[in-house]
Amino acid sequence: DAGVTQSPTHLIKTRGQQVTLRCSPKSGHDTVSWYQQALGQGPQFIFQYYEEEERQRGNFPDRFSGHQFPNYSSELNVNALLLGDSALYLCASSLLQGENSPLHFGNGTRLTVT
Amino acid sequence: DAKTTQPPSMDCAEGRAANLPCNHSTISGNEYVYWYRQIHSQGPQYIIHGLKNNETNEMASLIITEDRKSSTLILPHATLRDTAVYYCIVRVAGTDKLIFGTGTRLQVFP
C-alpha cells in the first residue's frame, strides 16, 4: 500500500522563478492538503483540495496556487519565488470523513531559493 | 483556531514510559486532539487522535482530561527510535487544517 509520494525530493531555484511540486496521495484517499515547514518551525497549512477544488486556505499569498487532478494527485505552484519561500513543502492526504480520518504526510520536497 | 502548548524538550530513559503533556484550553467541543511525530528530514508521522475518551493503539496511549483542556501522550516503553519532535495538534473542525506548534523534542537515551 503506497503512502503519500512527493516529487522532486530536492529543488534549487533562483529568486523570481516559478516552481511546481507534485504529490500522489495514499491509495484510497481523495483529499490533499499542502503545508510549508520553515527550518526549526512546525508545518503551516497552505491549502486543501477536494474534488479538484480548493476548499480551505491558510494565510498564504496568491503566489501560492494549486491543482488537484481527477486521479486525486495534486500540484503546488509558487510564482515569483522569494528567498523566504525556502522550506520543506509537505503534502498530506486523507479520506474526506471529517475529523476522524487522520492525515498522512509525505516526506516532502526541500526547496531552496537562492 | 485553538492553540496548543507543549514543553520544548524532554528526556526519557530507554525502556521507560514517556509521558508528553499538552495544553489546549481553547479547544472547541467538536475539535479532535491529534498527535504526530517528526524525525529529522521526514514528514510528520501520525500517532493517535481522540475527541474526549482515552485512546490506545499499537504505538501509544492518549489520555484526555474530562474538561478536554489538556492531554498526555504516553509511549509505554520508549526506544531510541522514538527520539523525535512530537506535535500535539487541534484539528480545525471539518477541514484538513492542522495547527502545528513548535512541539516537544523527545530525546530517548540508553
Side-chain angles (χ1 to χ4, degrees):
Chain A
D1 180 17
V4 178
T5 58
Q6 294 186 242
S7 64
T9 55
H10 294 83
L11 201 53
I12 299 175
K13 289 287 188 178
T14 303
R15 195 170 39 181
Q17 286 188 317
Q18 178 264 344
V19 69
T20 297
L21 310 181
R22 294 176 176 82
C23 171
S24 292
K26 179 179 167 67
S27 178
H29 284 183
D30 58 8
T31 302
V32 172
S33 51
W34 287 90
Y35 287 77
Q36 180 196 65
Q37 186 173 24
L39 205 59
Q41 305 292 320
Q44 283 194 292
F45 175 78
I46 302 175
F47 42 52
Q48 171 192 347
Y49 275 84
Y50 172 68
E51 290 187 332
E52 303 179 47
E53 289 188 13
E54 183 183 297
R55 300 291 178 162
Q56 182 96 4
R57 189 179 183 92
N59 189 26
F60 279 81
D62 292 344
R63 297 187 298 109
F64 290 78
S65 63
H67 190 77
Q68 185 181 33
F69 299 94
N71 67 352
Y72 308 120
S73 67
S74 177
E75 289 181 350
L76 165 66
N77 301 292
V78 187
N79 294 322
L81 284 167
L82 304 174
L83 296 179
D85 295 331
S86 294
L88 180 67
Y89 287 86
L90 296 160
C91 173
S93 71
S94 70
L95 189 60
L96 191 69
Q97 293 178 346
E99 299 82 5
N100 211 24
S101 172
L103 275 70
H104 291 260
F105 284 83
N107 283 329
T109 294
R110 172 74 60 188
L111 173 65
T112 302
V113 182
T114 63
Chain B
D1 295 338
K3 300 291 191 294
T4 62
T5 305
Q6 300 177 254
S9 64
M10 294 182 65
D11 291 337
C12 180
E14 190 176 21
R16 304 297 295 268
N19 296 284
L20 288 82
C22 179
N23 288 320
H24 32 78
S25 58
T26 61
I27 192 170
S28 298
N30 61 348
E31 291 179 329
Y32 281 70
V33 178
Y34 275 74
W35 283 84
Y36 282 79
R37 70 182 183 185
Q38 189 172 26
I39 297 167
H40 184 62
S41 297
Q42 296 183 17
Q45 178 190 21
Y46 167 75
I47 301 173
I48 197 168
H49 73 283
L51 182 63
K52 59 177 77 172
N53 298 320
N54 297 338
E55 302 287 345
T56 296
N57 63 20
E58 65 278 3
M59 290 182 68
S61 294
L62 174 61
I63 309 298
I64 302 175
T65 58
E66 192 168 343
D67 62 8
R68 303 215 319 127
K69 293 185 176 181
S70 65
S71 60
T72 301
L73 177 73
I74 301 172
L75 307 178
H77 306 287
T79 71
L80 298 178
R81 285 180 292 183
D82 291 324
T83 293
V85 177
Y86 286 77
Y87 293 101
C88 168
I89 298 157
V90 171
R91 184 171 183 177
V92 178
T95 77
D96 281 2
K97 182 178 181 180
L98 304 179
I99 311 292
F100 285 81
T102 51
T104 295
R105 184 171 298 278
L106 176 68
Q107 180 70 51
V108 180
F109 57 91

